[in-house]
Amino acid sequence: MHEPGRIRSSEITPVEVYTSRRTVLGCIGGALALGMGGALAGSRPVHAASRAAIGTYLPMSVPPLDSITPREYATRYNNFYEFGNDKSAPSEYGHALKTDPWSVEISGEVHKPGRYTLEDILKPHDLEERIYRLRCVEAWSMVIPWIGFPLGDLIRRFEPTGAAKYVEFKTLYRPREFRGQRALFSSIDWPYVEGLRLDEAYHPLTILAVGMYGEALPNQNGAPLRLVVPWKYGFKSIKSIVEIRLTRKRPRTTWETSNPREYGFYANVNPAVDHPRWSQKEERRLPSPLFSPNFIETQPFNGYGDLVAGLYAGMDLARNF
Ligand code: MTE
């Protein structure tokens, strides 16, 4: 990954743990869906199932403690190496990705494996808005209002066996649509792979997102289905998922495989453990103008420690970075 700009002394923003949870269905949602029709119609083509599901959610009215990053930053400053290495490549070339039809294969240590359409995947789940910080390992961050549902609720439906210990995720491999997968030289061995320990996957903060900012996910943000794990560096939040595999062994993830000295399996946000090439003590909270950068202190577990630190009790987080 690219080296971030040099970190300078910071202003300190007080940050408390928050999550926003809204599940609103029925007639209010229906009325709202009509109101949102214009916004949806004006966005990129989205999978019909995402569009239908998004219609049932209500935007939250209570402002969060950290202010939400303007949508244009979250949708134009992206990491999605399948489209290229530049931050602007995903929004520039994202239209090439075809997300309808879409299916997800559920395999490995489950009693109900199979290939499920996106419609089948989404059908039983109520969508919620969750406003989360996203802290990239490159030391920039945003605050994004996602729309999704808990990953654990999905995993339970496929009945993991007693042997399941980890969950592996894969992104679509389709070089015809992902120009980055056609590149002759790439530091990534496609497809992009990520993984979680099963208890991390079941943690209620861990969601699968289908939308953001009240609309279906734009392709550059991982349409039609992506992971969001807010206490870990952004690279864990794998986009455009086509495979979810329950495993006995720890999956070999993309960044750990490409550079194990710099990127670990756990990737918990941790200001006490620097990246070998830069500090992780601070982050540039976007928008962050070049000549007056908006540095803030990085929080352990990205500020969600009260809710997740227990998952790592007794573990040496400097070794298991
Ligand atoms: N998923 C895939 N398939 N490919 C990628 O290159 N980049 C990761 C993650 N998920 C990436 C991915 C990184 S490094 C980050 S910081 C986040 O996506 C960025 O998500 P955003 O573009 O929605 O902000």
Side-chain angles (χ1 to χ4, degrees):
M1 277 184 229
H2 303 301
E3 188 168 357
R6 260 192 61 218
I7 309 289
R8 302 190 329 194
S9 59
S10 71
E11 316 141 29
I12 297 162
T13 301
V15 223
E16 280 99 61
V17 172
Y18 63 80
T19 62
S20 147
R21 234 186 117 101
R22 288 299 291 249
T23 310
V24 180
L25 296 161
C27 41
I28 308 175
L32 193 92
L34 292 176
M36 284 173 55
L40 287 173
S43 63
R44 286 170 204 284
V46 294
H47 193 291
S50 313
R51 192 189 282 120
I54 299 275
T56 62
Y57 117 97
L58 182 70
M60 50 168 284
S61 49
V62 186
L65 293 170
D66 288 9
S67 41
I68 292 176
T69 304
R71 185 179 183 280
E72 38 308 357
Y73 287 84
T75 57
R76 293 201 200 137
Y77 187 90
N78 301 100
N79 278 333
F80 199 165
Y81 290 92
E82 283 85 340
F83 289 119
N85 294 347
D86 295 341
K87 297 284 184 276
S88 59
S91 55
E92 202 170 325
Y93 303 112
H95 57 84
L97 173 64
K98 295 191 182 73
T99 59
D100 190 1
W102 194 270
S103 61
V104 180
E105 188 176 341
I106 314 274
S107 63
E109 293 292 339
V110 285
H111 292 297
K112 292 178 167 176
R115 179 175 286 282
Y116 298 87
T117 63
L118 186 67
E119 289 82 350
D120 290 338
I121 292 282
L122 300 183
K123 206 178 215 167
H125 300 282
D126 292 344
L127 298 182
E128 309 166 9
E129 182 171 75
R130 299 277 186 104
I131 299 173
Y132 283 159
R133 299 182 203 101
L134 174 80
R135 177 23 166 113
C136 181
V137 73
E138 297 163 339
W140 52 263
S141 65
M142 304 193 201
V143 179
I144 299 180
W146 301 106
I147 304 169
F149 60 93
L151 170 66
D153 291 351
L154 180 87
I155 293 178
R156 276 185 208 97
R157 283 169 56 198
F158 303 104
E159 300 175 8
T161 70
K165 298 277 179 297
Y166 295 90
V167 190
E168 180 183 81
F169 305 85
K170 282 190 189 147
T171 295
L172 178 70
Y173 177 72
R174 200 181 280 163
R176 260 180 299 128
E177 292 166 36
F178 283 134
R179 65 203 319 272
Q181 291 178 340
R182 299 196 293 267
L184 285 181
F185 300 102
S186 167
S187 53
I188 292 181
D189 199 9
W190 310 109
Y192 195 101
V193 177
E194 257 311 332
L196 294 172
R197 240 171 36 193
L198 193 57
D199 58 343
E200 297 175 322
Y202 277 133
H203 193 284
L205 282 183
T206 306
I207 60 166
L208 283 173
V210 297
M212 63 197 284
Y213 296 87
E215 297 180 19
L217 280 180
N219 287 358
Q220 62 265 35
N221 294 93
L225 188 71
R226 73 171 291 171
L227 185 67
V228 181
V229 194
W231 71 94
K232 293 179 179 284
Y233 291 122
F235 67 84
K236 298 296 289 183
S237 292
I238 182 171
K239 298 176 170 182
S240 305
I241 296 169
V242 288
E243 211 178 308
I244 300 179
R245 186 176 181 78
L246 282 278
T247 64
R248 295 163 183 248
K249 287 205 188 130
R250 196 166 102 174
R252 283 174 56 81
T253 59
T254 289
W255 289 105
E256 194 189 9
T257 305
S258 93
N259 194 340
R261 219 174 63 80
E262 301 195 352
Y263 308 105
F265 174 81
Y266 282 94
N268 292 317
V269 174
N270 190 348
V273 177
D274 286 340
H275 184 281
R277 291 184 280 139
W278 58 83
S279 164
Q280 294 292 24
K281 291 185 180 56
E282 297 177 329
E283 66 206 48
R284 276 183 309 122
R285 170 62 56 82
L286 304 183
S288 175
L290 195 58
F291 296 109
S292 63
N294 182 29
F295 285 111
I296 61 171
E297 280 196 346
T298 290
Q299 309 288 312
F301 299 106
N302 206 19
Y304 302 98
D306 291 356
L307 301 168
V308 301
L311 293 172
Y312 311 101
M315 265 178 69
D316 180 347
L317 296 177
R319 283 176 66 94
N320 297 286
F321 58 88

